Amino acid sequence: EVQLQQSGPDLVKPGASVKISCKASGYSFTGYYMHWVKQSHGKSLEWIGRVNPNKGGTSYNQKFKDKAILTVDKSSSTAYMELRSLTSEDSAVYFCARSYYDQGAMDYWGQGTSVTVSS
Amino acid sequence: DIQMTQSPSSLSASLRGKVTITCKASQDINKYIAWYQHKPGKGPRLLIHYTSTLQPGIPLRFSGSGSGRDYSFSISSLEPEDIATYYCLQYDNLYTFGGGTKLEIK
């Protein structure tokens, strides 16, 4: 069974960074791209970017290129997203999701990680 | 960037009734559109990709159609478990989601 298990909720201070994890199981981690998506409270979904777990290559939404850093650890089948210089605008739920193709629809998603930025 | 205009933003329908949601792209997306069902506290669930291809295990009451810039998604006979928010996603050029449609029972 394919599963993407994300880390728990985070409360972080403005200006700080946070690193969210997404542990994959039930499939070949390096055979699928991993995407990250943001959902601000009560709003729609925004694509942040994606990483190729096999070669580490990344592609970002221009809006998030200075905000997010996407990495993977193949040894533990885990993808990470670090968000830096956090502001209240970064308070949201963040999802990881996989796709088979570089430019393919995401078929399995994690349960989401809530990040709250507050002093 | 490609924009996706999804309508309506909310919808109230009767059980066993038909529901239709539309998405209009700002340019031709070559049928690279997917539809997702999203319930609170969970990740979105892929229902349809490439305009009309149903994911394995998805009931046949869900369907999609369209071409060019205009696409639609339908539920032929609404069931109680279909209450959710639905999103379209274009993946022809990077990724853009529609604004979402919150579906409720009338």
Side-chain angles (χ1 to χ4, degrees):
Chain A
E1 179 193 6
V2 173
Q3 287 193 342
L4 299 176
Q5 184 64 41
Q6 296 186 228
S7 49
D10 272 301
L11 172 62
V12 292
K13 295 189 184 309
S17 297
V18 67
K19 196 169 187 178
I20 303 168
S21 66
C22 171
K23 183 170 175 59
S25 61
Y27 73 97
S28 172
F29 180 64
T30 55
Y32 289 75
Y33 292 82
M34 192 68 79
H35 302 255
W36 291 87
V37 174
K38 177 183 182 182
Q39 184 174 39
S40 301
H41 181 67
K43 295 189 178 180
S44 185
L45 303 162
E46 286 184 282
W47 181 74
I48 295 170
R50 69 106 179 104
V51 58
N52 178 345
N54 190 32
K55 300 182 178 180
T58 53
S59 176
Y60 292 91
N61 180 338
Q62 278 291 107
K63 177 180 177 180
F64 294 97
K65 68 178 182 64
D66 295 327
K67 174 63 65 179
I69 302 173
L70 306 183
T71 57
V72 298
D73 176 1
K74 288 193 283 188
S75 68
S76 63
S77 298
T78 302
Y80 297 93
M81 177 174 68
E82 181 178 6
L83 300 169
R84 47 193 172 177
S85 303
L86 291 167
T87 72
S88 58
E89 295 296 306
D90 300 313
S91 294
V93 176
Y94 294 88
F95 296 95
C96 61
R98 72 167 201 177
S99 71
Y100 183 71
Y101 297 103
D102 181 8
Q103 191 68 29
M106 303 80 134
D107 61 353
Y108 280 90
W109 293 59
Q111 81 278 19
T113 296
S114 175
V115 173
T116 302
V117 182
S118 175
S119 54
Chain B
D1 293 6
I2 297 176
Q3 307 303 314
M4 298 296 287
T5 303
Q6 184 173 343
S7 61
S9 57
S10 64
L11 181 55
S12 181
S14 302
L15 288 174
R16 288 168 291 285
K18 183 174 181 178
V19 167
T20 299
I21 298 167
T22 64
C23 267
K24 188 175 187 73
S26 57
Q27 65 188 65
D28 187 342
I29 56 171
N30 300 299
K31 295 195 170 188
Y32 289 107
I33 187 168
W35 294 91
Y36 292 87
Q37 178 190 70
H38 191 200
K39 295 184 178 181
K42 296 187 175 184
R45 177 191 185 197
L46 177 63
L47 303 175
I48 290 170
H49 67 98
Y50 196 58
T51 296
S52 58
T53 303
L54 223 57
Q55 275 294 95
I58 300 302
L60 295 178
R61 65 179 181 274
F62 295 99
S63 65
S65 65
S67 64
R69 295 174 56 197
D70 296 301
Y71 298 86
S72 64
F73 166 83
S74 294
I75 307 173
S76 61
S77 179
L78 191 64
E79 297 292 331
E81 60 266 29
D82 299 335
I83 298 313
T85 300
Y86 291 83
Y87 294 95
C88 63
L89 166 71
Q90 74 79 19
Y91 55 103
D92 180 59
N93 186 339
L94 297 183
Y95 298 84
T96 314
F97 290 90
T101 297
K102 186 172 184 179
L103 180 57
E104 299 173 330
I105 298 290
K106 189 182 293 183

